[in-house]
Amino acid sequence: MRRLIIDTDTASDDAVAIMMAVAAEHVQLEALTIVAGNVTVAQGSLNARYTLQLCGTNLPVYEGCDRPLLRKASTAEWFHGQDGMSDQNYPAPAMHAQSQHAVDALLDRFRREPGEIDLVTLGPLTNIATALAIEPQLAQWVRHCYVMGGAAATLGNVTPAAEYNFWCDPEAASRVMHSGMNLTLIGWELSCGDATLDDDDIQSVLDLGNERARLAIDSNQTALQAVRSLQGQSGLALADPVAMAVALHPDIATRASRHYVDIEIASELTRGMSVVDVNSVMGKTPNATVCFAIDIKRWKQVLLQSLR
């Protein structure tokens, strides 16, 4: 059985991804670490613990870095609502966060069992970059890291050039990218187009008739409005769940290859842009596997199965 830790800035699509991991029978989810991003660390922790509680599990939740390495915090309430969950007024969870800082928890767990646990990151990479600064060996201790971040040779979703997680803390993304960690990048664009949930897909989720299914749709109402009005998508784009689907079932990525990837940190115009050297014109050693296409039908099947 594969073992997994999720690092997340828990808002609405993160919550769906967490539920998918909890439901996966071939994966043992061991902990969540929280980073600032979509919402503050405190709000992300509340959202994560509420989601776990709804799933009937009390996995440990560790709160981590409350701001990017060098930049001001830039939350995304405009996309996810003030509480990150479309302001549905979910009750406070009964379970509490752990007292240990997320960075220390990550280092302790991966140091104790090197090469045994996968990592899935759903938010800015601040926690991971901070841990790497303390102990560069973390890059070798992580069995495999699946990163929801970037946009492979395509348009961004928060600026014309960049995806939100990398834009939010580009220095952290750069540090992780050049750490030597075994990385797979799943960009936000893989959740767009036909991969969005159309009205029929949304109804199929709601027809499951349970609390998890309702949370998946209700908590993403603000995101649905945002992707339709601001990004021109016709349906609900769920970037974190798509990334989780690939992490849980790597063969969902139908086109993926190794490339050298760099992150823009100097320019404000292209801040956080993931520059993928598809044609190897730079002559540098590839440092990440980049996903370019997914099996859309299978991704939606995995989502539905996870929420049953």
Side-chain angles (χ1 to χ4, degrees):
M1 179 175 287
R2 288 173 57 203
R3 301 165 63 192
L4 193 68
I5 290 174
I6 298 174
D7 187 73
T8 166
D9 57 340
T10 311
S12 53
D13 62 332
D14 304 71
V16 179
I18 291 167
M19 291 190 289
M20 293 170 65
V22 171
E25 295 180 352
H26 67 295
V27 167
Q28 178 178 311
L29 180 59
E30 301 200 349
L32 302 184
T33 54
I34 311 299
V35 67
N38 288 323
V39 290
T40 64
V41 165
Q43 186 64 56
S45 176
L46 282 171
N47 296 342
R49 287 181 279 126
Y50 176 78
T51 302
L52 291 175
Q53 184 173 290
L54 190 72
C55 293
T57 182
N58 60 350
L59 292 169
V61 175
Y62 301 90
E63 297 175 353
C65 299
D66 63 0
R67 63 180 66 86
L69 296 179
L70 301 178
R71 315 272 178 157
K72 293 181 180 179
S74 300
T75 50
E77 288 90 351
W78 57 273
F79 192 88
H80 294 285
Q82 291 302 306
D83 66 354
M85 303 284 276
S86 294
D87 302 313
Q88 296 291 313
N89 298 311
Y90 295 120
M95 61 184 294
H96 299 286
Q98 303 295 306
S99 58
Q100 188 179 30
H101 194 279
V103 170
D104 296 325
L106 287 165
L107 288 171
D108 285 351
R109 284 174 174 264
F110 285 103
R111 179 188 291 114
R112 191 163 57 240
E113 299 179 274
E116 296 296 323
I117 306 172
D118 289 343
L119 177 64
V120 177
T121 68
L122 304 176
L125 292 169
T126 317
N127 282 343
I128 315 306
T130 302
L132 284 165
I134 296 170
E135 178 49 84
Q137 271 300 108
L138 176 65
Q140 281 67 56
W141 295 341
V142 173
R143 179 177 176 270
H144 197 109
C145 182
Y146 295 88
V147 177
M148 192 281 111
T154 188
L155 302 177
N157 66 352
V158 68
T159 72
E163 175 274 331
Y164 171 79
N165 288 341
F166 284 6
W167 174 89
C168 186
D169 195 344
E171 285 78 16
S174 178
R175 182 177 294 173
V176 173
M177 201 63 55
H178 298 297
S179 68
M181 193 176 291
N182 189 10
L183 301 171
T184 293
L185 305 185
I186 307 106
W188 86 279
E189 75 281 1
L190 297 176
S191 67
C192 297
D194 290 341
T196 63
L197 303 191
D198 61 23
D199 290 342
D200 288 341
D201 295 323
I202 290 171
Q203 190 59 52
S204 293
V205 174
L206 291 173
D207 286 345
L208 296 174
N210 60 53
E211 289 185 306
R212 297 184 307 281
R214 286 192 292 272
L215 175 70
I217 300 304
D218 292 349
S219 70
N220 278 287
Q221 287 303 305
T222 303
L224 176 59
Q225 295 171 18
V227 297
R228 283 177 168 169
S229 63
L230 300 176
Q231 297 176 357
Q233 300 293 329
S234 59
L236 175 59
L238 293 173
D240 289 341
V242 166
M244 184 59 70
V246 173
L248 296 175
H249 305 280
D251 60 342
I252 284 179
T254 57
R255 188 161 64 91
S257 46
R258 298 278 299 170
H259 300 284
Y260 178 78
V261 182
D262 209 345
I263 310 298
E264 177 56 57
I265 61 174
S267 167
E268 278 306 305
L269 179 64
T270 54
R271 163 185 166 178
M273 182 178 183
S274 50
V275 181
V276 181
D277 187 7
V278 174
N279 293 324
S280 301
V281 296
M282 299 175 73
K284 295 189 176 182
T285 302
N287 56 0
T289 297
V290 180
C291 295
F292 291 98
I294 62 168
D295 183 333
I296 292 172
K297 181 179 179 180
R298 181 131 183 263
W299 125 247
K300 293 183 179 182
Q301 289 173 338
V302 168
L303 174 66
L304 282 172
Q305 184 63 40
S306 299
L307 296 173
R308 291 189 187 281

